[in-house]
Amino acid sequence: MKTQIKIQAATRWSYFQWFLLGFYWLQDEGKLKVNIDVPFLQKIGLWNHNWFLSGCSNRILPKIYSDSDLLLGQAVFDDKVVKFAIDSADAPFLFDRQVLDDVDVYFKMQCPKEFPAEGFHLTNDVVIPWTDYAFVHDEPDEYVGKKPKGKRKDFIDLAQYRYKIHPLMIGPRRLARGNDFYQLRKGYENIIQSKRLKKDKDVMCYFGNAKGPGRSEGVTLDTIDYDWEKDIMGLYPTLNHPNEKRAVMRDIIQKLPNSDARIINDGNSDAGSANHPELVVPLKDFGAYVAQFKYNVNVSGYRMSIPNRFIDSFSVGTSIITDDLKIKWYQPFAPEEVIEIGQMGYEPMEHVDWQQVEARMKVLPEQHPEIVEELFNKKWRPDVVAQYMLDTLMSAKG
């Protein structure tokens, strides 16, 4: 019997398109069979190619099914069935205990580099305990938009599940409106075709906001939801949000020759539309925009997450400059791919060595797009990551 990958539940399909394409790619090569075995209405969201109807399904599905950061599935081999999950949550300290109990392999897209017993080190001085998706009470305290908010359970015995947790990676924001092999492959080809463009510019940054989301008032250790950015900032008033560092990096890059630094909204994050619409690069043109540059600058995102800009850059031969990472992908980054320039993240602004950061930005090493492209094809291409997942599932206890 040919190996099968069965997808059994997902609502946020765009988060998993890179992996879907990888599985379809291997199916096209005759290496496995992909079976989408989700409820009917979830299939509408999966296969729908119409922009309007697809947008409607994206809004309706979370109201019918629990809006989840996870994709659930099974790998069926000749001699065993292996249950797996892909967790797309931006919070590297957050895990679904109920799912971990059930599955054999738990792929974490934002996987922490380390798992110390005390929890995830957000900064040198702030440690967030390992946390369960489940709330302390049966129902969350409130809903903000579609997202539930409330005190979540501590995951004090995460260590016993550690053997099931495997790092993954982060794909682009969206490959295509639909999710079949043809559309996903077409979207992928549209991205990588820009790698042929000449890199005649040096450094870029493209950030959404210059400030954090604000701070919740009156939050305590007994009420905090660590999956809620405002709660983190409210509980720790001495912290400065990563977005504030992005604004400083923009100012540094603007001083460099032959470079381009953009922040499309000077206000708080999640505040809505850009107040600098003239700086917005349409998604369909974004690959070509990034491909012009040797380096793309990052500052870690919410809860120290790695954003889409890593794969946006690698896929067109552009390297990343970033603050020190607390997240790992399933393979390490090479020096040609990623340059780390010091702690930023949530550190208090006065703890960041801005003088050193600016000095390093002025003396960047020679960039080698051909090496970045070669590493992309060896490590991050959709079929390669799908093969890694398949090998991991094959070696797991089913």
Side-chain angles (χ1 to χ4, degrees):
M1 183 182 72
K2 184 177 291 186
T3 298
Q4 291 189 55
I5 293 292
K6 294 184 177 181
I7 309 297
Q8 298 172 306
T11 53
R12 302 184 179 187
W13 289 106
S14 64
Y15 285 53
F16 309 110
Q17 287 183 325
W18 199 255
F19 316 118
L20 281 174
L21 174 57
F23 288 138
Y24 289 142
W25 197 321
L26 296 185
Q27 177 177 255
D28 192 56
E29 294 177 349
K31 296 181 179 179
L32 56 82
K33 173 69 175 176
V34 179
N35 181 8
I36 308 295
D37 188 25
V38 299
F40 175 73
L41 288 177
Q42 288 187 16
K43 280 191 176 181
I44 293 177
L46 173 66
W47 302 121
N48 191 1
H49 300 174
N50 180 279
W51 280 82
F52 174 75
L53 292 178
S54 183
C56 290
S57 67
N58 288 339
R59 288 189 292 271
I60 293 171
L61 281 176
K63 297 180 180 179
I64 300 174
Y65 304 100
S66 297
D67 190 19
S68 174
D69 291 314
L70 276 71
L71 177 148
L72 303 177
Q74 293 182 350
V76 183
F77 303 103
D78 288 335
D79 58 342
K80 63 181 177 180
V81 175
V82 180
K83 296 181 180 180
F84 72 91
I86 304 176
D87 185 344
S88 68
D90 280 342
F93 47 81
L94 188 65
F95 295 85
D96 192 316
R97 184 191 184 117
Q98 183 176 354
V99 171
L100 268 167
D101 270 327
D102 185 56
V103 302
D104 305 295
V105 174
Y106 190 100
F107 292 109
K108 184 74 172 171
M109 290 170 62
Q110 300 284 358
C111 190
K113 281 186 174 182
E114 301 174 342
F115 286 83
E118 66 272 18
F120 179 76
H121 288 246
L122 190 70
T123 70
N124 287 335
D125 301 321
V126 173
V127 179
I128 295 179
W130 302 117
T131 306
D132 187 2
Y133 270 84
F135 295 95
V136 170
H137 306 292
D138 292 338
E139 292 293 333
D141 297 334
E142 60 179 308
Y143 276 81
V144 180
K146 295 182 294 185
K147 185 178 178 182
K149 180 179 181 297
K151 175 68 176 176
R152 297 174 190 264
K153 296 178 180 179
D154 289 345
F155 204 150
I156 58 176
D157 57 345
L158 178 67
Q160 72 172 328
Y161 296 94
R162 179 67 187 86
Y163 74 98
K164 293 185 178 184
I165 300 170
H166 298 265
L168 201 52
M169 58 168 288
I170 316 301
R173 285 171 288 177
R174 182 187 289 275
L175 282 174
R177 177 58 62 173
N179 294 282
D180 60 67
F181 182 40
Y182 170 77
Q183 287 203 73
L184 294 176
R185 186 62 184 261
K186 184 177 179 181
Y188 169 77
E189 296 291 345
N190 181 59
I191 289 174
I192 65 168
Q193 70 177 350
S194 298
K195 66 184 179 183
R196 67 176 185 268
L197 297 177
K198 183 179 179 181
K199 296 194 180 302
D200 53 6
K201 299 179 182 178
D202 292 330
V203 182
M204 64 160 284
C205 73
Y206 186 86
F207 297 127
N209 301 89
K211 297 180 182 178
R215 300 176 187 266
S216 298
E217 295 183 4
V219 63
T220 69
L221 287 171
D222 293 326
T223 62
I224 186 171
D225 181 354
Y226 286 111
D227 196 35
W228 198 258
E229 199 77 359
K230 286 186 176 181
D231 277 13
I232 295 174
M233 299 308 297
L235 185 63
Y236 302 105
T238 62
L239 301 185
N240 289 106
H241 196 268
N243 287 12
E244 298 176 53
K245 282 85 168 183
R246 293 178 174 187
V248 178
M249 289 305 301
R250 173 197 57 189
D251 296 341
I252 291 173
I253 295 167
Q254 284 177 337
K255 300 175 186 176
L256 301 177
N258 201 30
S259 300
D260 185 9
R262 304 187 184 198
I263 293 182
I264 62 176
N265 195 320
D266 290 322
N268 292 101
S269 56
D270 306 326
S273 59
N275 64 357
H276 291 293
E278 74 281 1
L279 300 180
V280 174
V281 179
L283 184 58
K284 64 181 179 64
D285 301 325
F286 196 70
Y289 171 71
V290 174
Q292 303 173 76
F293 295 89
K294 298 172 183 176
Y295 289 101
N296 187 0
V297 172
N298 175 67
V299 176
S300 294
Y302 278 18
R303 299 138 225 170
M304 297 301 294
S305 59
I306 288 180
N308 309 105
R309 68 174 53 85
F310 274 56
I311 201 65
D312 289 339
S313 302
F314 298 154
S315 61
V316 294
T318 297
S319 301
I320 289 285
I321 300 168
T322 185
D323 60 336
D324 292 351
L325 297 172
K326 295 180 182 288
I327 306 299
K328 64 182 177 183
W329 282 10
Y330 73 94
Q331 288 206 45
F333 298 121
E336 293 85 0
E337 292 176 295
V338 175
I339 298 174
E340 297 179 53
I341 58 173
Q343 293 188 71
M344 295 183 201
Y346 291 80
E347 295 290 341
M349 198 69 81
E350 62 271 16
H351 289 184
V352 180
D353 190 345
W354 291 113
Q355 187 173 3
Q356 174 187 278
V357 169
E358 189 160 8
R360 293 194 65 179
M361 292 297 295
K362 291 178 179 178
V363 290
L364 295 171
E366 181 181 356
Q367 198 262 347
H368 298 279
E370 73 284 355
I371 296 179
V372 178
E373 291 177 26
E374 180 183 359
L375 291 169
F376 169 79
N377 287 321
K378 286 183 177 179
K379 297 195 293 186
W380 315 128
R381 209 172 60 191
D383 61 320
V384 177
V385 66
Q387 187 63 56
Y388 154 74
M389 296 173 72
L390 194 63
D391 291 343
T392 303
L393 293 166
M394 194 175 298
S395 63
K397 294 181 179 179

